[in-house]
């Protein structure tokens, strides 16, 4: 809850049970918990002081799939504003964020639609609903509203994200609902929702998932290796083999808008385009994922030319690809020697390095 609310008593307003949501309209008889001297409320899978429904666990009923709980300060009025005014002192230490009461009192809400049923009418589209309820979100105390990934999912139904159309696994990074609505609405609905949230004094955040480009229409032959969840190389058949991947394309709006605003961005934020040497910490794991440790590394970023626009993606722009097993073994090779066949030239049967 932040340092401004340290050692403060809170009581439940909503809790989840096996039968649904139970509400507490007043302080009396509501379960309570105290924030510690840092302003943190700590919950677990254990009941708090033997109070019913205060353990965190998953439920599946007509009202909740998962878990939902809301806690408010004891004695709070219906219109209490728990936010703290921002500091006016300048910080010159080159750090972006500074822990203080104002920052710690921020409340971020993400309007994400994963397993919710798809809209059947315009009024049910996520961004339409967000715009209509902007004032309600402000009354809840929301300070920053994070929009779900607004991209149009590829819809090939090859795996979860491209089946439920949640904004991941997209082909065109610039298609935010042009012409026909996404699961969240049209580009106009998105702009309307952002304006409504701004008018209700909320910051709007974008869930940018650049690494989710997927199911491009054109293929290339690349070399590929496989990394595991800990960043370690995984021993697979990919190894040093050439691999056919869908890495060429990007769609109608990538071709139209890709790089169109680079010069404008460079004028406003020139340091983003300049070469820079920076230090960063790398989290390392052993091969089995245990015993994490950190090492300090340094790298130099080259100047980024504003004239290098990307109208169509290709493998040279990407450091990864979705591996669905579709391209393995497509490139002809002599499996006894490991050499790849070179087609079309006499006396040159194999590709040489």
């Amino acid at each position: 809850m932040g340092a401004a609310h340290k050692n403060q008593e809170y009581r439940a307003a909503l809790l989840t049970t096996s039968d649904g949501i139970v509400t507490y309209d007043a302080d009396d008889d509501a379960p309570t918990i105290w924030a510690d001297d840092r302003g943190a409320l700590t919950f677990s899978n254990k009941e708090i002081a033997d109070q019913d429904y205060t353990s965190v666990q998953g439920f599946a009923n007509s009202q909740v799939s998962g878990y939902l709980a809301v806690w408010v300060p004891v004695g709070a009025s219906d219109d209490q504003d728990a936010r703290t005014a921002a500091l006016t002192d300048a910080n010159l230490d080159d750090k972006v964020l500074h822990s203080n009461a104002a920052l710690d009192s921020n409340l971020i809400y993400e309007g994400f639609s994963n397993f919710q049923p798809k809209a059947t009418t315009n009024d049910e589209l996520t961004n339409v609903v967000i715009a209509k309820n902007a004032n309600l979100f402000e009354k809840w105390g929301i300070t920053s509203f994070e929009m779900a990934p607004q991209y149009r999912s590829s819809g090939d139904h090859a795996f979860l994200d491209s089946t439920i159309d949640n904004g991941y696994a997209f082909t065109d990074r610039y298609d935010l609902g042009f012409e026909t609505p996404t699961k969240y609405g049209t580009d106009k609905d998105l702009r309307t929702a952002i304006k409504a949230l701004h008018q209700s004094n909320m910051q709007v955040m974008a869930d940018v998932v650049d690494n989710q480009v997927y199911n491009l229409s054109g293929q290339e032959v690349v070399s590929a290796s496989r990394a595991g969840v800990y960043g370690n190389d995984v021993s697979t058949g990919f190894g040093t083999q050439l691999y056919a991947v869908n890495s060429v394309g990007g769609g109608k709006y990538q071709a139209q808008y890709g790089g169109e605003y680079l010069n404008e961005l460079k004028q406003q934020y020139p340091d983003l385009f300049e070469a820079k040497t920076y230090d960063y910490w790398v989290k390392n794991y052993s091969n089995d994922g245990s015993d994490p440790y950190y090492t300090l590394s340094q790298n130099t970023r080259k100047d980024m030319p504003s004239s290098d626009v990307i109208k169509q993606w290709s493998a040279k722009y990407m450091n990864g690809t979705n591996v669905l097993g579709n391209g393995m073994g497509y490139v002809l090779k002599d499996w006894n020697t490991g050499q790849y066949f070179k087609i079309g030239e006499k006396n040159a049967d194999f590709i040489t390095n």
Side-chain angles (χ1 to χ4, degrees):
M1 307 311 296
H5 305 283
K6 63 182 180 181
N7 302 316
Q8 185 173 358
E9 187 178 19
Y10 285 76
R11 59 98 170 168
L14 297 175
L15 293 176
T16 304
T17 74
S18 57
D19 297 322
I21 294 174
V22 59
T23 61
Y24 303 89
D25 297 327
D27 294 345
D28 296 339
D29 300 323
T32 58
I33 185 175
W34 288 83
D36 64 18
D37 57 7
R38 295 178 294 110
L41 294 177
T42 303
F43 302 93
S44 71
N45 61 348
K46 307 293 184 183
E47 304 281 21
I48 301 170
D50 295 324
Q51 299 175 101
D52 291 338
Y53 316 132
T54 55
S55 63
V56 178
Q57 53 185 299
F59 293 94
N61 52 58
S62 59
Q63 293 182 312
V64 178
S65 176
Y67 180 78
L68 173 66
V70 175
W71 295 77
V72 297
V74 170
S77 60
D78 290 342
D79 59 352
Q80 174 184 265
D81 188 342
R83 294 171 294 184
T84 305
L87 299 177
T88 58
D89 298 335
N91 288 288
L92 304 175
D93 56 6
D94 293 328
K95 294 182 179 179
V96 176
L97 300 177
H98 298 80
S99 181
N100 56 65
L103 178 63
D104 294 344
S105 68
N106 280 354
L107 180 59
I108 301 174
Y109 180 92
E110 182 172 15
F112 191 65
S113 177
N114 209 352
F115 297 110
Q116 300 294 332
K118 294 182 181 180
T120 57
T121 67
N122 182 76
D123 289 342
E124 293 176 349
L125 291 168
T126 301
N127 290 337
V128 174
V129 175
I130 289 173
K132 290 180 178 179
N133 289 278
N135 290 334
L136 176 62
F137 296 134
E138 183 184 19
K139 290 180 180 179
W140 286 356
I142 307 299
T143 59
S144 299
F145 196 103
E146 182 177 355
M147 308 299 287
Q150 295 294 309
Y151 314 101
R152 186 187 305 281
S153 296
S154 70
D156 70 336
H157 297 178
F159 69 115
L160 178 64
D161 291 332
S162 62
T163 299
I164 59 178
D165 299 334
N166 57 6
Y168 296 99
F170 56 88
T171 300
D172 193 332
R173 185 182 288 181
Y174 287 88
D175 188 353
L176 305 180
F178 294 116
E179 299 181 29
T180 59
T182 67
K183 185 175 185 178
Y184 303 108
T186 64
D187 61 301
K188 181 180 178 180
D189 295 329
L190 174 59
R191 286 193 288 267
T192 300
I194 292 173
K195 290 177 181 177
L197 293 168
H198 282 168
Q199 290 170 357
S200 295
N201 304 306
M202 277 170 278
Q203 175 192 49
V204 180
M205 304 166 65
D207 190 348
V208 180
V209 289
D210 288 344
N211 63 319
Q212 298 286 337
V213 175
Y214 167 78
N215 198 33
L216 298 178
S217 58
Q219 287 192 322
E220 292 177 281
V221 173
V222 302
S223 59
S225 59
R226 185 83 182 262
V229 294
Y230 302 108
N232 306 82
D233 288 337
V234 176
S235 178
T236 68
F238 296 97
T240 57
Q241 290 191 43
L242 296 181
Y243 180 70
V245 293
N246 289 80
S247 54
V248 179
K252 173 181 177 180
Y253 298 104
Q254 177 74 45
Q256 181 175 346
Y257 295 113
E260 286 299 301
Y261 306 102
L262 283 178
N263 288 326
E264 182 178 341
L265 287 171
K266 187 173 183 178
Q267 291 178 354
Q268 297 188 35
Y269 309 101
D271 57 312
L272 293 178
F273 294 78
E274 297 170 356
K276 180 180 180 181
T277 299
Y278 54 93
D279 296 329
Y280 61 97
W281 290 97
V282 178
K283 191 173 185 179
N284 306 276
Y285 296 87
S286 59
N287 288 331
D288 63 358
S290 62
D291 301 323
Y293 62 93
Y294 292 87
T295 54
L296 184 63
S297 295
Q298 187 179 83
N299 207 338
T300 299
R301 184 186 69 201
K302 297 179 180 179
D303 284 334
M304 184 171 68
S306 58
S307 59
D308 187 8
V309 300
I310 302 176
K311 297 295 185 180
Q312 177 176 265
W313 293 107
S314 66
K316 70 178 182 179
Y317 296 115
M318 302 180 179
N319 66 354
T321 177
N322 295 92
V323 179
L324 300 178
N326 292 331
M328 195 64 182
Y330 280 27
V331 184
L332 296 178
K333 66 184 289 187
D334 184 332
W335 290 92
N336 293 318
T337 65
Q339 291 182 294
Y340 288 94
F341 290 109
K342 189 173 184 179
I343 307 299
E345 291 187 26
K346 294 181 179 180
N347 304 318
D349 293 334
F350 297 103
I351 296 175
T352 57
N353 294 328

